[in-house]
Amino acid sequence: MKYIFTCLAIVYTIALQAQSISGKATYESKTTVDMDGFGGREMTDDMKKMIMERMKSMLEKTYILTFNKNESLYTEEEHLETGASGGGMRMMMNSFSAGVQYKNTETNELVEENEFFGKQFLIKDTIQNINWTLTKESKQIGQYIAFKATGVKELSDTDFQFARRRGGRDGNRRGRNENDTEKKQDTIEDSKKDPLEEIEIPKEIEITAWYTPQIPTSTGPGEYGGLPGLILELNAHRTTILCSKIEMNTKDTSDIKKPTKGKEVSREEYQKIVKEKTEEMRANFRGGGRGGRRF
């Protein structure tokens, strides 16, 4: 009888913790770039290193996830720009500025602020949870035991963060032994091309997440969640997001509010705006123009 009461007390304690859980998690996000795939085969190692250093502020970011049992707020820590390089990819990525992202797993609501070409948007959407496959594989992340889950994320044609060099073109390039005249001619021709013709966005990507049931909240970095525990590590394409610090039951987690800044649009409306503006930018590039209509 004593054993039964002990088990009931443990279950009751876990239930109470799940109801009152709150905390802050710090995530470090790092994205790698295939320099060879984006014209780096003709670069020296020093040139590649210099470009990667200048792109560091775009490729390495720090985020804070403030959460309770059902709600979370995901914000990026600001860093100073270290340079301006990276061609068409950087030009396109710098047109976006991700703001605060709010999720509510109980109501399945997602609200986020995004800045696109200088205009602020407030995107209202539902949480698109991935169809996760849970595994028994586990590892230690900090003081927590994390379990592996895998899934597939479908992408839209405006998900430029997952852009890659257009398939098959790398292998058709001439090798290092071509003479200087041929290389120079290739450089001249490349400079005349629409930079966005060099990239493509895959239809889907594989996602790997590591979550811990020790923190019973079904959320994680960015739009990701839907697992029986907080996501501590996530791998998507060339991006790895790793939790570096967790503070539990902090005082500033009780007042998680939805973002309110910007023109209110749905996800579909926002994607349409991005697509139209991108096509306009490409038309201006091909025509040598610098103008463009306002939103």
Side-chain angles (χ1 to χ4, degrees):
M1 182 65 70
K2 183 179 180 181
Y3 173 76
I4 294 175
F5 278 121
T6 301
C7 291
L8 289 174
I10 293 174
V11 171
Y12 181 71
T13 300
I14 292 175
L16 286 177
Q17 288 177 342
Q19 290 177 359
S20 61
I21 190 171
S22 65
K24 291 178 67 175
T26 302
Y27 292 89
E28 307 296 336
S29 172
K30 292 187 177 182
T31 301
T32 60
V33 174
D34 179 11
M35 292 297 295
D36 287 343
F38 282 94
R41 294 188 179 188
E42 289 78 22
M43 298 180 188
T44 65
D45 290 340
D46 288 340
M47 290 175 64
K48 293 179 183 179
K49 184 177 179 181
M50 179 184 68
I51 291 175
M52 291 300 294
E53 185 63 29
R54 289 181 177 178
M55 293 178 68
K56 187 174 182 179
S57 62
M58 184 179 75
L59 301 175
E60 298 183 10
K61 297 177 180 291
T62 301
Y63 296 90
I64 303 296
L65 179 71
T66 306
F67 62 89
N68 57 37
K69 182 178 183 293
N70 297 316
E71 297 176 292
S72 65
L73 209 59
Y74 193 61
T75 59
E76 178 186 347
E77 285 193 346
E78 294 185 1
H79 296 283
L80 293 176
E81 291 284 340
T82 57
S85 183
M89 174 61 70
R90 184 180 178 91
M91 176 180 65
M92 195 66 222
M93 292 302 297
N94 279 346
S95 301
F96 296 86
S97 179
V100 178
Q101 185 184 73
Y102 167 89
K103 294 200 303 273
N104 187 319
T105 56
E106 185 176 31
T107 61
N108 204 38
E109 182 181 14
L110 186 150
V111 181
E112 65 182 43
E113 294 176 353
N114 269 346
E115 184 181 319
F116 179 60
F117 275 102
K119 185 173 180 63
Q120 194 79 23
F121 291 93
L122 183 68
I123 304 170
K124 293 197 171 182
D125 197 5
T126 56
I127 300 174
Q128 303 297 320
N129 283 326
I130 293 172
N131 185 19
W132 295 105
T133 298
L134 307 185
T135 75
K136 295 181 180 180
E137 187 175 348
S138 65
K139 67 178 180 179
Q140 188 87 16
I141 298 180
Q143 66 186 65
Y144 300 96
I145 298 296
F147 293 88
K148 182 180 179 180
T150 60
V152 174
K153 175 181 173 67
E154 295 183 357
L155 303 180
S156 75
D157 54 5
T158 59
D159 282 324
F160 289 101
Q161 61 179 313
F162 300 111
R164 62 191 181 193
R165 186 172 180 85
R166 196 165 293 279
R169 298 185 64 174
D170 294 346
N172 294 330
R173 284 183 170 268
R174 288 188 288 271
R176 292 177 179 265
N177 295 326
E178 61 187 350
N179 60 49
D180 293 339
T181 302
E182 289 174 315
K183 286 182 179 180
K184 185 176 181 180
Q185 185 63 34
D186 280 347
T187 302
I188 294 173
E189 291 177 356
D190 287 344
S191 67
K192 297 178 181 178
K193 294 178 180 178
D194 177 353
L196 294 182
E197 288 183 356
E198 297 292 310
I199 64 175
E200 65 179 1
I201 299 173
K203 298 296 183 183
E204 59 184 31
I205 57 171
E206 293 184 359
I207 305 290
T208 300
W210 295 86
Y211 67 95
T212 177
Q214 292 174 262
I215 304 178
T217 178
S218 184
T219 191
E223 71 270 29
Y224 300 101
L227 287 166
L230 179 68
I231 296 176
L232 300 183
E233 181 179 333
L234 188 130
N235 298 282
H237 194 44
R238 293 183 176 274
T239 298
T240 296
I241 305 174
L242 180 63
C243 183
S244 59
K245 181 182 178 181
I246 294 180
E247 302 172 77
M248 296 300 297
N249 300 318
T250 55
K251 294 181 180 179
D252 55 351
T253 60
S254 58
D255 191 23
I256 298 176
K257 295 182 179 180
K258 302 176 188 178
T260 58
K261 297 179 182 178
K263 178 182 177 181
E264 185 175 321
V265 293
S266 66
R267 179 70 63 186
E268 292 75 16
E269 290 171 332
Y270 180 70
Q271 289 174 345
K272 182 179 179 181
I273 291 170
V274 172
K275 191 171 184 178
E276 290 177 350
K277 193 66 178 178
T278 302
E279 289 302 320
E280 179 187 328
M281 184 184 70
R282 298 180 68 181
N284 288 334
F285 181 87
R286 290 191 292 265
R290 297 181 181 180
R293 63 178 177 83
R294 295 181 179 275
F295 290 101

